[in-house]
Structure formats: structure tokens, C-alpha cells
Amino acid sequence: MEKEILIFGHQNPDTDTICSAIVAERLNAKKGVNAKARRLGGVNKETKYVLNYLGIEKPELLESVEEGQEVILVDHNEFSQSVKGIEKAKILEVFDHHRICNFETAEPLYYTAKPYGCTSTILYGEYKANKFEIDTEEATLMASAIISDTLLLKSPTTTKYDKIALKELGEIAGIDVEEYGLEMLKAGTDLDDFSEEELINLDAKVFEKSGVKCMISQVNTVNIPDVLEREEKLKEAMSEEVEKNNLDLIILAITDILNSNSELIVLGNRTDIVEKSHKLENDRVFLEGVVSRKKQLLPMVEKNI
Amino acid sequence: MEKEILIFGHQNPDTDTICSAIVAERLNAKKGVNAKARRLGGVNKETKYVLNYLGIEKPELLESVEEGQEVILVDHNEFSQSVKGIEKAKILEVFDHHRICNFETAEPLYYTAKPYGCTSTILYGEYKANKFEIDTEEATLMASAIISDTLLLKSPTTTKYDKIALKELGEIAGIDVEEYGLEMLKAGTDLDDFSEEELINLDAKVFEKSGVKCMISQVNTVNIPDVLEREEKLKEAMSEEVEKNNLDLIILAITDILNSNSELIVLGNRTDIVEKSHKLENDRVFLEGVVSRKKQLLPMVEKNI
């Protein structure tokens, strides 16, 4: 068992999860706590853009934890989204902006949740509360996380706290937030290197309600038709996923992050769940103004189950 | 359904639960949020001493909440310790110092947990973080909660943060913490008015592990032999409780709060669980230095199940 405290975000790491883990390592160091950032999976292209921009290394990969390992969670709390062995770990602290579910501890802990658009906005608040100075690297990491999770403050998950944080962080980082943010988001939408199977697993969440098992995947793009050129192969991969994981419903949301719309591809034996709200044509529907899985797609599906 | 936000602590309210609910109401008012303190049961004698000292009313009784009711929880999170209907409520915020268990939400929320000795110590930190002034009443309420939960800073649950908070709160409140605290704790140990059934339910926690259902009750006293004069009737009441609630194990901890010891009375068909650690004589054992259910008794029982 590693003796040091480990900090990590969720599986299928996104930019908030990776940047928040690195920032939380630095925040802990300032408090005199030796804790190391880890990641639970491959780093996506958007996050690579950030790390390259700063010239810093990605955190080490963590595959599982042993009983009693001391950990700090960022950007998630549900055990099903966490590291293998999390049930036996000693969770010291959590920083998160999601609902609390499928989570429990044996002992009291530090838990800081706020319903903000991004975990890094909460960490920014921690720097403020502790009167810690934020350096250029930390500011760039947190700003990148906020840009990613809020799609440049356009997602409905955006709060005034994200806006305040991003403004100041952008200034400290010395970046033009709009320009840097678009470059970063575009880098993340370069999908050419991915197989269809990889695409539908890039950012996937599986959940179950009333015995209905669903998976909602999301890919971001700056041009939906580009992605739809691969529609048939995407559907094949989705059907295989349904088979492999006994899914009742699988949704792939292809989200245009510049114009804030999504095209859904919907398959499975319970597509009626989506059709209660939206008529499908050739297994697809275009949803104007829909960009957030957490605030828009998930509630729609859960309501209809 | 009540339109205002409701704030409450756990069932079988103690001084921290009641005082923290009142303080959280005032903290919210300072933030411009209209939220009202409630209580889930009768106010104990210790808490009455505090409210009488300040000349303020106890919060209104709350028996259940309806679907969608907006609530703020203090001093607990487990649904089994909360109000009837909590599963359907909308939990906006939690302030707590216990482990997280048997708790979930449908949406992101504010959750502030710290492993401190008392919820009011966390609320004290909120006043500080928001740069809110603490008035005499608020200081007395929070100081009383800390004195109660930490038994005048002598319980092993006490942290340095409780000590720092109590020192400043005592000064603002204008009380001699030691003198006021002893009076308050003594007031809470006046057990004469209670039936034996009431005594074992004054401060009771029920939990289940690996199919073993346990109840650990605690009464505080300044003189253990006084309480043991009622031993036979207490055992009768405990046996009835075992019958009524299908308990496998019931423990009554009679805790000497001045000298920090406890006498346990242990009944049920699984007294072997306690006997793995402590030999019982006539269903009893004296445990030197044991005062905390959360930090000492509960871990001993859970380890032995």
C-alpha cells in the first residue's frame, strides 16, 4: 500500500478531474499535507492541450487501492465512478460538485460540496478561504477546468461563482479566456484518432433506475455533421455496448460546443423513454440548446423512466 | 407543504442539534436566506437549561416533511436519523460532523462536513469565513453545543478547532466556560423525572451490521451509583425494547461526565459481541476513560460483530 495520501477524480477522466487533482495536490502541500495526484484512466486530448500548454506531466495512473489507503476524492463521490477498491479505502476528504449517491464512509471526514459548474471553482474558493496565493500554473489549471465543464460559461450548469472565478483566474494565468478556451475546446474535439468504440466510451455514464439500465455518452465537437459521417459505425459500436453491458437504453449525445446544441443517437429496447419527450427519426433527434448531461439529458431520461 | 426552507438536526435531539439548528437559521438570515429552525422531538433538560439561560423559545416541532420540501440538515445526514419523508425532500445543504452513510440526493447540493467534535464548531467557521459578527446569543448557543458534545473538551472526539472556537465563543458570550459548562451538564443529568423507558430512549442510536441489529443508548450523570439504584427497572425496560424492536444487542452506557468513565449494561442474545472485548459481570462492565459512543463504543461493537 502506498503510504502517501492519493488524490484522484473519476474514471474516464476529463479536464476538471485531472486539473482539480493536480491543484488539490498543490493546495494540500500549502497546508503541509503530502498528497499525490493520480488519474484513473487515459488523459483526453483537451486535457493534453492544457498540460502541454503548461509543460507539466500528467499524474501517474492508479488502477486500484488497497484496504486502508488514505485518499482524497475530487470531482466525484459515487463509488461506481471511482477507483477499484474504494470501499476499503479511508476517505479523508472530498471536493465535488455532483449529487451525493452510492457513497458512504465509516468515519467522519472533510466533505466540501457546492452546486457549482466545476470542482475547480470550489478549489478556487479554498485558496481564497485560506488566503493562499494562486500562481500562474494553478490559475491556468483551474481556468481550464472551468472552461471545460461550463463550455466557456455557456452550459446551464454555470453559476455566478464559476464566472467570478474564471475572470480572476484568467487574469492571473495571463490568458485571453475566450481565445485560449476555444483552442482548448477545439483540441478536445479532434476525434479522428478514436475508434467508434472509443468514442462512445470517452465520456460515458452508466446508471440504473427502476430496473432500467442506461448509458449516456457524450462527445463534443465544433461540427456535428463531421461526426455523423461515422453514424453507421457509431450505431454498430453502440449496439455492441448494449449487448455487452445488458443496457436497456444507450444515448450518444454529439454536442456542438460552439453553438450549444446536441444531436442524439438513441438505441436499445427502451428508446420509448426518450420518445416520451422527443420524436426520433432514424434513431436520431436534434435538441437545440441542450449541452448538459447532468442538468438536461439525465433529468429528461429519469423523468420518463 | 411549508414554503419556507426548514432546518433541523437528528431525532432524539441533543444540545448540538437544537443549538446548531437555531444558529443555522440566523446564519442563513445573514445571507438573506429565509429558513426556519425546527426540532424532531422533545428538548432535553440540558438544552432547556441553555434556552432558559438565554430566554429564547425552543424551535417548533416537525413531524414529517412532504415531497419537494426544501430542507437544510444539521448534525446528521443518515436518513434513518432524520425526519419522516426525508427521502422525498429537496436537501439544499448539510452541516455535519458525522460519517456519511445512508444518505443520497438527486441533485448537487452544499455539503460541509468536518471531522470536528461538534457541528457548532463548523458553523463557527462559517461565521468566520463570511466575516459575520457573532452576537452574545449565537456565541452562547454554539458554546453550549461544543460543551455538550465534547463534555467540556474532555471527550476523545474533541479537536483543536473545538478548543479554539469554545475559547472565543465563551469570551463573546461573557461566560466562565468551566462554571457555566458544569451547571449545564449537571442540569442535563437530572434524571429523576424520567421513566426507565424514557431514560433508555433519551439519546439512543440504532444501527445494523451484518444482520445484527443493535441499539446503544447513553445517559450522562455526575454519579453512576445514583443511576444504578434503578438497575433492575432499567433492565426490564431494555428487555422490552429488545422485544419491541427485534434487537440482537442493547447497550446502555451510563457515563460519568465529570470523571470520564462509563458503566455499561448489556442485554440481548448477542452480548458475546461486547464480551469479545470486555468481561461482563451481572450484565455490566465498568469502562475507564470511555465517554464517546461514536469514537469508542460504536467502533468496539462494529469490530466485534
Side-chain angles (χ1 to χ4, degrees), chain A residues 238-280:
Chain A
M238 288 167 73
S239 295
E240 278 166 27
E241 199 69 29
V242 164
E243 192 103 349
K244 202 173 70 189
N245 290 309
N246 290 315
L247 300 171
D248 298 295
L249 178 66
I250 185 166
I251 300 173
L252 173 64
I254 304 162
T255 299
D256 178 342
I257 54 172
L258 298 188
N259 300 300
S260 301
N261 304 311
S262 290
E263 179 93 24
L264 307 189
I265 303 179
V266 183
L267 294 177
N269 58 42
R270 291 300 308 276
T271 54
D272 64 295
I273 290 166
V274 175
E275 291 211 278
K276 274 189 197 157
S277 296
H278 307 286
K279 187 167 161 31
L280 298 176

Side-chain angles (χ1 to χ4, degrees), chain A residues 9-191:
Chain A
H10 52 76
Q11 295 168 15
N12 301 315
D14 58 14
T15 299
D16 187 23
T17 260
I18 296 291
C19 292
S20 287
I22 299 172
V23 169
E25 173 182 318
R26 297 181 180 203
L27 184 65
N28 271 284
K30 286 175 206 280
K31 289 180 184 170
V33 177
N34 185 25
K36 294 294 173 214
R38 293 287 185 268
R39 64 185 163 87
L40 303 189
V43 169
N44 70 31
K45 290 190 178 179
E46 184 189 275
T47 311
K48 271 186 194 147
Y49 178 90
V50 179
L51 299 178
N52 283 343
Y53 177 89
L54 290 171
I56 61 178
E57 291 292 316
K58 62 190 176 192
E60 277 177 41
L61 184 67
L62 178 69
E63 294 194 336
S64 64
V65 294
E66 288 178 36
E67 180 156 1
Q69 172 68 50
E70 294 186 318
V71 301
I72 294 172
L73 309 186
V74 296
D75 197 30
H76 76 298
N77 66 82
E78 302 195 33
F79 285 179
S80 54
Q81 296 163 10
S82 197
V83 74
K84 197 179 151 194
I86 187 67
E87 300 80 6
K88 303 278 184 184
K90 180 165 184 189
I91 303 169
L92 300 179
E93 185 157 27
V94 179
F95 292 105
D96 191 23
H97 67 127
H98 297 90
R99 68 170 182 176
I100 299 176
C101 193
N102 183 15
F103 176 85
E104 64 173 46
T105 65
E107 311 234 8
L109 75 165
Y110 288 93
Y111 199 114
T112 306
K114 296 181 198 282
Y116 295 171
C118 177
T119 304
S120 273
T121 306
I122 301 171
L123 295 176
Y124 165 84
E126 290 293 303
Y127 274 82
K128 291 284 160 185
N130 286 286
K131 299 198 177 72
F132 291 151
E133 214 180 302
I134 300 172
D135 70 21
T136 314
E137 272 188 14
E138 291 153 9
T140 308
L141 289 164
M142 289 190 270
S144 301
I146 297 171
I147 291 164
S148 171
D149 264 22
T150 67
L151 298 174
L152 263 170
L153 305 179
K154 277 191 278 186
S155 160
T157 57
T158 310
T159 68
K160 66 176 177 183
Y161 305 101
D162 303 301
K163 291 177 187 168
I164 293 166
L166 182 54
K167 186 163 184 298
E168 189 188 339
L169 291 168
E171 283 162 14
I172 299 171
I175 53 174
D176 178 321
V177 166
E178 202 67 27
E179 192 185 320
Y180 170 88
L182 277 179
E183 284 306 311
M184 186 195 93
L185 292 172
K186 274 187 195 164
T189 65
D190 173 10
L191 304 175

